[in-house]
Amino acid sequence: MTTLLSRFSNEVPGVRGTDERVDKVAYARDLWPRHHLAIRSGAGASGPNEPGAIVWPESTEDVQRIVAFCNKTGTKLVPFGAGSGVCGGVLPGRDVLILDMKRMAKLVSIDRSAPTLTVEPGYMGLPLEDELGRQGYTLGHFPSSIVCSTIGGWIAGRSAGQCSGKYGKIEDMVVSIECVTGKGERLTLARRGHGPSLLPLVIGSEGTLAVITQATMRLHPKPVARAFAAFAFSSTEAGWEGMRDLFQAGMRPAVARLYDPFDAMLARQGTVKAEKKAKGPGAAAPGMGGSVLRQILRVPSAMNAIIEGLGSQVFGGALLVLVFEGEGAECEAEAALARRRLEARGARYEGEGPARKWLAHRYSVSYRQAPVFASGAFSDTMEVAASWSKLGALYDGVRKALGKNVFVMAHFSHAYPDGCCIYFSFAGSAPPGTKDGSWDEASEAVYDRTWQAALGAAVDAGATLAHHHGVGRSKAPKLAAELGSTGISTAKAVKRAFDPNGILNPGALFPPIAPDPYTKRAGTGPESLATDGGAS
Amino acid sequence: MNRIEIDRTSLLVDVAADVTLDELESTLSREGCTLYLDGASTSATVGSWLAEGARGARSPYADPADHLLAGFEATNVATKEELFVRAAPRKSVGPDLVALVLGMRERFFVVRRATLRIFLYDATTVNLPFVAPVDADAGDAERALLTRIGEELARAT
């Protein structure tokens, strides 16, 4: 029997590939929590999503040959970085070829006069930043996934890092990219001061328009000094008003993170707990803690109401953590100025401790999800954004929509002069009365209903559905509610121009109209209009 | 809706495309705000200024955390369909359709309204030095892609 890999190897010799089962299982998904639920229930075990083969190009010419093969044979192609996405941007099928970019990971050059970096897309985040640091620079991009994500993935997903307050998001860092379109053309798209630039179409296109094969990025001098500060506010709203004041006054803390009261309590204490647990045997196992968690999460609305009622008195109020960084004493001056402005608004200075603690544990949060799923519960996050004047309606609307079914908390970690991102974290489980045999199915229904309601609330509040996680499959069903029918038809026209045969990452961004197992149960089918993976 | 609507909380202005920069700046100044333009022709309308690439606006290289065009309404020149891109400080919902408007000389869309960033007169300015890249001409492949986008948008319904 001719396999996809054998046919590929015959027609594209010299490119390494595999169709070993262990590899296919590893590449069958990203880190979308909804898919974790399907895996747990057994219904979505990786079988249907195992790709036909995985291939590793080593040059732009290889990518062009692979795209040509896919166009010729009608094979779908899914570009793959490190698989850290959380929205189902990667969910292949048996006839799909995975294009793993990690063997294209060369640091091509550093131009010290600009300064800029030219790099291949498969370079992993943390080693890249370490290398830049040795040469006296920083990209300024520190997503919590930095240990398990690539620069190509950051660009494809329009990623944001923890220091966005000073350095912006990834789209603010890209100077130019080289890419291979779905049609097979090799293109260089550059940022232009004035005049047309197609670069913003490819940034954030989630592998549906082109394969990024090289990027030139803006660099900054590696900071040599940091200043830390933390402030308590009587309410979350008072906290975000403080953030707004700083950013509209032209201040640019690298890190500005506001936690609502319950999230603030975890931020103040959680890292200590994590350290204690890590010392004990079986710290991550779902033992009695898992059982308690399941019981608590069965009554999320009561938990939310209790926390809402206790509010600031018990939890110590909302917490704003600031980190300024730069080349010298100006950091301390900026921190002092921020303190004066925030104290004038009624904030209480909490010293440097919470900010220093946050920095020490900045990447730990990514590892707290597995025990929740293992206990029978689920957790996820939703990052939405709006202008400041709509932020209150967004916070209240999404919190209310989530809070009916799951336990919810929030923090605000990417602020700009005109608005802010709200990062909701939630956890839930099957409702009371669910029998053990139908536990997973009931959990999935709660998750789907909750997710769709929260997306709807975000759209109703005038927000954007995604600030930096992308759309993938998780937000695609509501994309038309944000973009409108013309927005969808426009994006699909762009898709056809780049990828006329619709070979690139089908199912992401533009879901097929056929029933989607991830939204069917919630009774909220796709609202966008594509029928063929987005190419029409 | 008024031709000029200022959202002072968000430091945004929602403005009709036929308003001139001069008229807009005058309205903003009465509210203690400004577009912070440098060298732009103030007789130009907002729509034509955006179509020509918003010359004179603050460079995003000066402040990576800021941007110019938060959202817009526009008409597809071929199909006459109305496109509405809601204002947001940043987003991650697929291709950024701002690219089809800014600097495109109304090749694909004609802007009807725009939501622009404005500044308080007394705001601290942030200036990070950077040598901005020289605008490179589009190559053959990029020009061909622009043509295909136009063709596809003409049948986008």
Side-chain angles (χ1 to χ4, degrees), chain B:
Chain B
M1 179 176 278
N2 294 326
R3 295 175 74 239
I4 301 174
E5 299 248 5
I6 298 173
D7 174 356
R8 205 182 161 89
T9 302
S10 309
L11 290 183
L12 292 170
V13 62
D14 185 69
V15 57
D18 62 353
V19 171
T20 65
L21 292 176
D22 200 25
E23 180 187 354
L24 177 57
E25 191 62 30
S26 210
T27 303
L28 291 173
S29 69
R30 287 195 292 274
E31 300 290 328
C33 300
T34 176
L35 278 175
Y36 234 123
L37 300 182
D38 178 19
S41 168
T42 54
S43 63
T45 63
V46 167
S48 62
W49 176 64
L50 292 172
E52 292 296 324
R55 290 176 188 277
R58 293 183 81 199
S59 166
Y61 284 99
D63 181 2
D66 209 346
H67 64 163
L68 169 70
L69 184 58
F72 65 89
E73 292 176 38
T75 304
N76 182 317
V77 295
T79 67
K80 309 303 178 194
E81 288 189 316
E82 298 293 322
L83 173 65
F84 171 61
V85 173
R86 62 177 59 192
R90 289 292 189 284
K91 56 183 69 169
S92 172
V93 287
D96 186 354
L97 302 182
V98 165
L100 300 176
V101 168
L102 197 59
M104 282 294 179
R105 300 188 172 181
E106 301 184 345
R107 180 173 183 154
F108 307 128
F109 287 91
V110 174
V111 172
R112 299 298 178 206
R113 292 190 73 90
T115 306
L116 303 170
R117 267 278 290 127
I118 57 177
F119 301 83
L120 296 172
Y121 271 126
D122 60 354
T124 307
T125 56
V126 177
N127 285 302
L128 300 173
F130 182 77
V131 180
V134 176
D135 286 2
D137 288 336
D140 290 345
E142 188 176 354
R143 277 197 292 272
L145 182 57
L146 280 162
T147 300
R148 286 210 306 278
I149 290 173
E151 290 168 355
E152 293 297 343
L153 284 170
R155 62 186 189 94
T157 55

Side-chain angles (χ1 to χ4, degrees), chain A residues 210-282:
Chain A
V211 180
I212 297 163
T213 52
Q214 196 173 92
T216 296
M217 311 292 295
R218 180 185 187 179
L219 294 179
H220 299 267
K222 183 182 179 182
V224 295
R226 285 196 176 110
F228 301 86
F231 302 87
F233 291 86
S234 58
S235 68
T236 308
E237 182 176 4
W240 80 59
E241 283 298 306
M243 290 174 84
R244 181 170 78 88
D245 176 77
L246 297 184
F247 278 84
Q248 292 189 342
M251 302 193 70
R252 296 292 181 266
V255 177
R257 299 173 73 88
L258 174 72
Y259 299 90
D260 73 3
F262 189 78
D263 212 350
M265 183 196 72
L266 297 180
R268 288 182 176 103
Q269 300 177 2
T271 49
V272 177
K273 280 185 192 169
E275 284 163 1
K276 283 179 183 171
K277 283 178 74 177
K279 289 175 186 169

Side-chain angles (χ1 to χ4, degrees), chain A residues 158-175:
Chain A
R158 230 168 231 274
S159 163
Q162 295 162 342
C163 296
S164 61
K166 181 178 175 72
Y167 305 106
K169 281 183 70 196
I170 199 75
E171 61 263 36
D172 305 308
M173 303 170 188
V174 179
V175 175

Side-chain angles (χ1 to χ4, degrees), chain A residues 449-474:
Chain A
R449 193 164 56 243
T450 301
W451 184 259
Q452 297 303 322
L455 290 178
V459 171
D460 291 346
T464 184
L465 290 171
H467 173 266
H468 60 275
H469 283 176
V471 173
R473 286 160 179 78
S474 67

Side-chain angles (χ1 to χ4, degrees), chain A residues 66-89:
Chain A
I66 294 166
V67 169
F69 166 81
C70 290
N71 273 304
K72 178 182 170 186
T73 61
T75 304
K76 306 300 184 189
L77 185 67
V78 176
F80 192 98
S84 67
V86 293
C87 292

